[in-house]
């Protein structure tokens, strides 16, 4: 067991902290599609949209742990957690399955644009009747002579309103259950695709999310990921990367939040002394630190296992639950520590809104605990 970071890892994280801070320090969520596209191109220049993509495509060729460390630095330096989430979802839920399952032709077509941020990708799995129950998806992909005809609607897709590429999942064989689902990397400019307007939502304002409708959308066969019937396997593969690595941005948020709370407890005075001298305050901050460090260890271990090609579903699930629940609890504590100031727009209240959805996306906390229970034989 080696808990130290290498010189290369430390230097990479320091560079990201500096460069992200230079571009987005004091950044407020824009909610402007053109601004978000420009932010993706900036993230591409900083190497963030291609962290774990092959070097030959302009990516960083990083493993899971190094990707998570880079995203942690991104999340710490960028106050717009929604933007960090948008970039991480683009990379892990979309670019990773293209990297690992697309044909060589399609990888050559798409990966360079995904790595540079010129192409923005949206992951479209969730439907009105299929959230946690991904086996119940209703979007269909009817095989034709030279491709597939997609029909149906996805209800919740991050980056959808600005997407150039949609990684989606559809039923190719209704009789085969999970083995009848297939995955596709669909260019968003194909006829028959409608990208919805941004959905109003709580938190993560810097990441637009919307519905996606397919109406007799003809998708050439080359955009099939893997083989027919591999959709469920490909989705679980991408979710392992997302659940393990994406939550690095929340470690970064908690790092920034904790430092702010320590500073505030030393500056804010009540009853003639800094509030940090009151045990009620100092112990609350100590609990924040404990949650953060415990979550960090579980996330690093989950990513390390991915790098060892260990298929440990429960390790990833434990990490996802620990980080998301720590992020919500710490944000509640940060708001309480700042009192009325924490309730004002921005700062602690914004961090709370950005952390609440972390217990929902990439599989709810309840689904993660179900995965852990199944691994235990229950």
């Amino acid at each position: 067991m080696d808990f130290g970071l290498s010189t290369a890892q430390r230097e990479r994280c320091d560079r990201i902290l500096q460069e992200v801070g230079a571009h987005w320090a004091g950044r407020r969520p824009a909610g402007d599609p053109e601004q978000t596209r420009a932010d993706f191109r900036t993230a591409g220049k900083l190497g963030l949209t291609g962290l774990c993509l092959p070097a030959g495509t302009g990516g960083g060729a990083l493993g899971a742990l190094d990707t998570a460390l880079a995203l942690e630095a991104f999340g710490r330096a960028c106050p717009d957690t929604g933007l960090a989430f948008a970039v991480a979802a683009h990379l892990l839920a979309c670019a990773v399955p293209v990297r690992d399952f697309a044909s060589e032709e399609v990888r050559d077509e798409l990966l360079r644009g995904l790595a540079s941020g010129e192409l923005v990708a949206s992951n479209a799995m969730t439907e009105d009747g299929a959230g946690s129950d991904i086996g119940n998806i209703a979007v269909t992909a009817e095989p034709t002579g030279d491709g597939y005809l997609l029909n149906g609607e996805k209800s919740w897709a991050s980056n959808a309103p600005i997407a150039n590429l949609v990684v989606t999942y559809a039923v190719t064989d209704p009789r085969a259950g999970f083995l009848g689902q297939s995955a596709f990397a669909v260019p968003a400019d194909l006829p028959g695709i409608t990208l919805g307007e941004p959905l109003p939502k709580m938190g993560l304002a810097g990441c637009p999310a919307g519905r996606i409708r397919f109406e007799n959308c003809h998708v050439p066969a080359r955009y099939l990921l893997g083989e027919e019937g591999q959709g469920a396997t490909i989705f679980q593969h991408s979710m392992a990367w997302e659940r393990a690595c994406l939550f690095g941005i929340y470690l970064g948020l908690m790092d920034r939040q904790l430092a702010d709370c320590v500073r505030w407890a030393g500056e804010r005075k009540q009853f003639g002394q800094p509030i940090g001298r009151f045990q009620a305050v100092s112990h609350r901050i100590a609990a924040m630190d404990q949650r953060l460090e415990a979550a960090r260890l579980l996330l690093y271990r989950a990513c390390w296992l991915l790098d060892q090609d260990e298929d440990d579903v429960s390790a990833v699930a434990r990490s996802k639950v620990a980080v998301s629940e720590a992020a919500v609890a710490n944000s509640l504590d940060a708001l309480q520590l700042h009192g009325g100031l924490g309730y004002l727009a921005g700062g602690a209240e914004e961090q709370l809104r950005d952390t609440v959805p972390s217990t929902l996306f990439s599989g709810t906390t309840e689904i993660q605990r179900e995965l852990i229970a199944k691994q235990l034989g229950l």
Side-chain angles (χ1 to χ4, degrees):
M1 297 172 65
D2 183 356
F3 293 97
L5 299 184
S6 68
T7 299
Q9 288 171 325
R10 289 195 300 270
E11 289 178 349
R12 184 186 304 114
C13 291
D14 288 343
R15 176 184 60 80
I16 291 171
L17 283 169
Q18 293 171 6
E19 292 180 346
V20 170
H23 283 89
W24 290 304
R27 149 92 181 204
R28 304 300 305 153
D32 175 13
E34 289 310 310
Q35 179 60 55
T36 305
R37 285 185 180 278
D39 287 332
F40 261 84
R41 291 191 290 272
T42 299
K45 291 176 182 177
L46 301 183
L48 297 168
T49 49
L51 291 167
C52 56
L53 300 184
T57 66
L62 300 180
L65 178 56
D66 283 335
T67 297
L69 290 169
L71 291 174
E72 181 178 344
F74 187 10
R76 178 167 187 170
C78 182
D80 184 355
T81 303
L83 173 61
F85 173 82
V87 169
H90 153 99
L91 173 65
L92 302 167
C94 304
V96 162
V98 172
R99 178 197 71 185
D100 293 342
F101 295 98
S103 66
E104 184 176 354
E105 175 189 6
V106 171
R107 289 199 302 271
D108 289 342
E109 176 185 345
L110 298 177
L111 284 182
R112 188 167 293 278
L114 293 171
S116 70
E118 292 295 327
L119 296 180
V120 177
S122 173
N123 176 50
M125 168 58 96
T126 303
E127 301 176 7
D128 288 339
S132 296
D133 183 10
I134 60 171
N136 195 40
I137 62 172
V139 170
T140 58
E142 180 183 353
T144 62
D146 57 350
Y148 299 84
L149 206 60
L150 267 64
N151 281 284
E153 187 166 331
K154 298 295 183 178
S155 62
W156 184 276
S158 296
N159 297 331
I162 60 170
N164 305 107
L165 180 75
V166 177
V167 173
T168 194
Y169 301 83
V171 176
T172 47
D173 184 353
R175 301 163 300 178
F178 277 104
L179 297 179
Q181 296 178 2
S182 299
F184 301 87
V186 184
D189 59 358
L190 290 180
I193 297 181
T194 302
L195 303 178
E197 293 297 314
L199 297 168
K201 62 187 191 305
M202 174 186 179
L204 299 178
C207 176
R211 302 176 77 90
I212 299 178
R213 174 176 287 277
F214 302 99
E215 296 178 284
N216 293 322
C217 174
H218 180 263
V219 179
R222 68 178 183 276
Y223 292 117
L224 175 71
L225 296 177
E227 304 292 335
E228 269 192 33
Q230 278 192 302
T233 299
I234 293 170
F235 179 69
Q236 294 301 338
H237 175 77
S238 71
M239 283 298 99
W241 275 80
E242 180 169 285
R243 289 167 183 165
C245 301
L246 179 146
F247 286 81
I249 67 174
Y250 283 103
L251 296 180
L253 180 153
M254 286 189 280
D255 259 334
R256 169 165 42 89
Q257 184 182 68
L258 181 63
D260 179 64
C261 287
V262 170
R263 177 194 59 77
W264 173 251
E267 294 177 355
R268 172 67 166 167
K269 291 184 178 181
Q270 292 287 277
F271 305 102
Q273 61 181 332
I275 61 173
R277 293 185 181 176
F278 296 105
Q279 192 177 79
V281 171
S282 63
H283 281 198
R284 188 184 291 267
I285 293 175
M288 293 173 67
D289 176 75
Q290 180 182 351
R291 290 190 205 105
L292 167 58
E293 292 304 323
R296 176 178 277 124
L297 288 173
L298 283 173
L299 184 141
Y300 286 4
R301 180 173 182 270
C303 291
W304 179 84
L305 287 168
L306 272 181
D307 285 334
Q308 309 309 308
D309 292 323
E310 294 276 352
D311 186 19
D312 193 332
V313 174
S314 63
V316 174
R318 284 194 295 270
S319 166
K320 199 271 187 186
V321 172
V323 177
S324 60
E325 294 200 338
V328 173
N330 281 15
S331 295
L332 284 167
D333 278 342
L335 193 150
Q336 189 72 21
L337 286 164
H338 283 80
L341 185 62
Y343 189 62
L344 296 178
E349 68 82 26
E350 185 176 289
Q351 291 166 353
L352 178 59
R353 287 188 287 108
D354 286 341
T355 56
V356 166
S358 70
T359 65
L360 304 174
F361 61 72
S362 305
T364 64
T365 294
E366 291 76 17
I367 287 295
Q368 304 312 309
R369 290 194 170 122
E370 186 70 12
L371 293 172
I372 296 168
K374 286 182 178 178
Q375 195 93 346
L376 294 172
L378 300 174

